[in-house]
Amino acid sequence: MKLPFNGKIVVGFDLSDMYSQVSYANVDDQNVETISSVAGQEAYNIPTVLCKKIGLNQWYYGKEALRYREEGIFIENLLSLAISGEPLQIDGSSFQP
């Protein structure tokens, strides 16, 4: 994605177990823009979930993870898992949150 300016920017992440958002602001004018997860739409909330296809190194996040949740290993509460720091066992492998 090409940003509409060449100056310095500040990037912010709003994280929760349910949804996440990504925003940025040009340091010079401080006009905050939130990034849509769908080009041309105002779809700002990204579901904070992952889904891994069983037996494959194929991962999905957000709305795609919700779409494939019945076909793979569905991981939710990602923020809480990261805060706990406990390794996750997913499809026979250990992952640090």
Side-chain angles (χ1 to χ4, degrees):
M1 173 178 72
K2 183 171 170 51
L3 297 175
F5 46 81
N6 293 324
K8 294 182 181 180
I9 62 169
V10 175
V11 178
F13 300 94
D14 293 320
L15 303 173
S16 78
D17 276 333
M18 296 293 296
Y19 293 98
S20 297
Q21 292 183 352
V22 180
S23 301
Y24 65 92
N26 182 338
V27 174
D28 296 332
D29 67 19
Q30 298 181 2
N31 185 20
V32 177
E33 297 286 336
T34 300
I35 297 173
S36 175
S37 60
V38 180
Q41 296 182 16
E42 293 183 7
Y44 303 118
N45 290 334
I46 303 165
T48 310
V49 293
L50 293 172
C51 185
K52 181 188 180 303
K53 282 211 171 179
I54 297 171
L56 298 173
N57 190 25
Q58 191 166 6
W59 293 80
Y60 302 98
Y61 73 93
K63 289 181 182 179
E64 278 194 325
L66 293 173
R67 200 173 316 133
Y68 290 107
R69 74 185 303 167
E70 302 300 323
E71 300 174 33
I73 300 166
F74 188 71
I75 306 119
E76 53 190 339
N77 300 316
L78 293 175
L79 183 61
S80 293
L81 290 170
I83 291 169
S84 78
E86 295 295 319
L88 301 173
Q89 296 298 317
I90 302 170
D91 203 17
S93 296
S94 180
F95 295 88
Q96 292 296 322

